[in-house]
């Protein structure tokens, strides 16, 4: 039987014959025995394989096995006399599949800094922490689909290449099929992309929301989950140029309903990780963020605090703490303000609602006061904004007026306006930054360490 280490560690040992394949974490010689700790990525723990000197390649190969070597071990699963492990493998044969030269294999037994590991993104998933991040990320991904399926949502695949700048912030990466030379010739013309592949300027999506709205207005409850891109020159521990965003969109839903879904989702996802990834979480709890598990359990137990933007500004104005950025009604909340609200004021996640319309995109629904919109951001301790969402403006005249204010070309967005002409209904949705969620769940401080291949300004090595 070819087995994965995760299964073997939960199997009753009865000298059953097994085959395992993996990479060597450590190999220790002791007289006539070699103790090899083998990992196959299926879980945090490795399994101990014991090789006796009677094995035919013992002297030539086994004794010289080094960290990083790929091996195939055949043997029997037996009870382990050693502390800290229930089972071990008594090897009958060990085949070296791929060696790793100890004089230059970068992952030696010592602890490496995350910064160094970023420079070897092809090897870092073999380390304990990055390996655990990858498993938790995968678990969260699966849990998202399960949550929405159980709630009657349909997944919609929204386009990656688009001509609509959803957030209107001018942060779209341009997509072109023109050569450098052709681009040079078109440069400075009124529409330099007229000769391009799509006959107009296209880019990588900053959000699938506008297209998700189309399907919400035919299927009721939908979500899109995929990579999004922002040419935003932010070099921080919570910004990426390519990140994954989860965006549910619901017809017949207002802001209150939107917040309820987001809160239930976050609690459900965290619970799933607490239940299914105990060993990996324990690693983060011990070495990365002390008290993490308790923090996550509390987030699942307590309702999130809800306050309006105006109340949040009052709290910030009354704070004794000095902020780097000034606080004033009308300006956007900075990460330091967001963190203060959830860490110092509420001690839990906070949902801030009803932001000034001047700092929010065109599609958000205007409130009666004419000054604010039915927006909501969910702020979490240690990170700040995890979710941004709103009720959408479903009234044609008001939406048209806001789009004109935002200097959008109404012709280009005629399809979006049609949704308000034909069977318009109240609807709402939000976007959850997937990497920020992985950061929150693992306690990893830099967003570059929770995505396999981070893209940030001046950095896209492979
Ligand atoms: O607040 P944002 O910009 O909202 C939207 O894009 C809406 N269209 C979503 C919607 O209503 N369907 O982004 C949503 C979330 C943020 O709260 C943040 O968690 C994450 O996406 N995010 C980023 N994550 C990593 N790097 C970046 N540069 C991010 N920008 C936003
Ligand atoms: Mg936002």
């Amino acid at each position: 039987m070819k087995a994965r280490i995760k299964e073997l560690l939960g199997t009753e040992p009865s000298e059953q014959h097994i085959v395992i394949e993996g990479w060597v974490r450590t190999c220790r010689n002791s007289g006539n025995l070699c103790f090899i700790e083998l990992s196959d990525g299926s879980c945090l723990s490795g399994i101990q394989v014991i090789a006796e000197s009677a094995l035919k390649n013992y002297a030539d190969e086994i004794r010289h096995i080094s960290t990083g070597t790929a091996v195939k071990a055949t043997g029997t699963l037996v009870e382990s006399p050693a502390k800290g492990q229930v089972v071990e493998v008594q090897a009958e044969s060990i085949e070296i599949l791929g060696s790793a030269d100890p004089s230059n294999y970068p992952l030696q037994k010592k602890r490496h800094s995350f910064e160094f590991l970023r420079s070897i993104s092809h090897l870092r998933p073999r380390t304990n922490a990055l390996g655990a991040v990858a498993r938790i990320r995968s678990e969260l991904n699966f849990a998202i689909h399960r949550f929405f399926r159980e709630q009657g949502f349909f997944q919609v695949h929204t386009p990656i290449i688009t001509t609509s700048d959803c957030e209107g912030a001018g942060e779209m990466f341009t997509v072109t099929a023109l050569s450098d030379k052709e681009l040079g010739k078109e440069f400075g013309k009124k529409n330099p992309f007229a000769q391009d592949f799509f006959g107009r300027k296209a880019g990588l999506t900053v959000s699938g929301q506008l297209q998700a709205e189309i399907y919400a207005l035919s299927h009721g409850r939908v979500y899109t989950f995929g990579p999004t891109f922002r040419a935003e020159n932010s070099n921080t521990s919570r910004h990426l140029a390519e990140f994954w965003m989860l965006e549910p969109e619901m017809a017949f839903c207002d802001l209150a309903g939107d917040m309820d879904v987001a809160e239930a989702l976050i609690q459900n996802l965290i619970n799933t990780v607490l239940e299914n990834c105990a060993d990996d979480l324990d690693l983060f709890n011990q070495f990365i963020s002390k008290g993490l598990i308790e923090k996550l359990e509390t987030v699942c137990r307590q309702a999130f605090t809800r306050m309006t933007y105006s109340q949040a500004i009052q709290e910030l104005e009354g704070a004794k703490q000095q902020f780097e950025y000034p606080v004033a009604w009308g300006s956007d909340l900075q990460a330091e303000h967001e963190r203060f609200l959830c860490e110092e004021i509420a001690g839990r996640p906070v949902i801030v609602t009803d932001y000034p319309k001047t700092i929010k995109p065109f599609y958000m629904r205007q409130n009666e006061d004419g000054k604010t919109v039915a927006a909501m951001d969910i702020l979490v301790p240690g990170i700040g904004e995890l979710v941004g969402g709103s009720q959408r403006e479903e009234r044609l005249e008001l939406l048209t007026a806001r789009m004109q204010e935002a200097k959008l070309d109404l012709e280009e967005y005629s399809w979006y306006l049609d949704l308000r002409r034909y069977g318009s209904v109240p609807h709402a949705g939000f976007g959850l930054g997937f990497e920020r969620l992985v950061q929150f769940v693992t306690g990893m401080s830099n967003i570059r360490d929770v995505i396999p291949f981070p893209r940030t300004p001046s950095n896209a090595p492979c």
Side-chain angles (χ1 to χ4, degrees), residues 118 121 173 240-242 448 452-462:
R118 266 172 240 145
S121 57
F173 283 100
L240 291 165
E242 175 178 321
R448 295 168 173 87
F453 304 101
R455 270 79 183 92
T456 49
S458 310
N459 182 48
C462 62

Side-chain angles (χ1 to χ4, degrees), residues 20 57 88 90 115 146 215 236-237 255 291 299 342 360 425 428 440:
I20 44 172
N57 55 346
E88 61 187 30
Q90 197 69 51
E115 204 170 9
R146 192 182 55 196
Y215 275 78
T236 79
S237 59
L255 188 67
V299 169
C342 47
K360 289 293 184 187
V425 297
F440 185 58

Side-chain angles (χ1 to χ4, degrees), residues 7 31 38 46 67 125 164 235 243 259 270 350 380:
E7 292 158 39
L38 205 59
T67 301
S164 319
N235 253 313
F243 63 98
M259 292 192 278
I270 293 176
V350 174
V380 296

Side-chain angles (χ1 to χ4, degrees), residues 310-338:
S310 299
Q311 287 167 335
I313 293 294
Q314 261 176 21
E315 292 284 3
L316 293 166
E317 281 173 342
K320 290 206 180 70
Q321 181 164 329
Q322 282 292 312
F323 296 110
E324 194 186 335
Y325 292 89
V327 176
W329 200 98
S331 50
D332 210 355
L333 300 180
Q334 300 297 321
E336 56 172 346
H337 307 136
E338 295 174 341

Side-chain angles (χ1 to χ4, degrees), residues 167 230 332 338 360 364 376-377 385 387-389 431 436:
E167 296 305 290
R230 302 215 176 158
D332 210 355
E338 295 174 341
K360 289 293 184 187
M364 295 192 176
M376 66 107 175
D377 276 8
E385 182 187 338
V387 164
R436 291 193 188 172

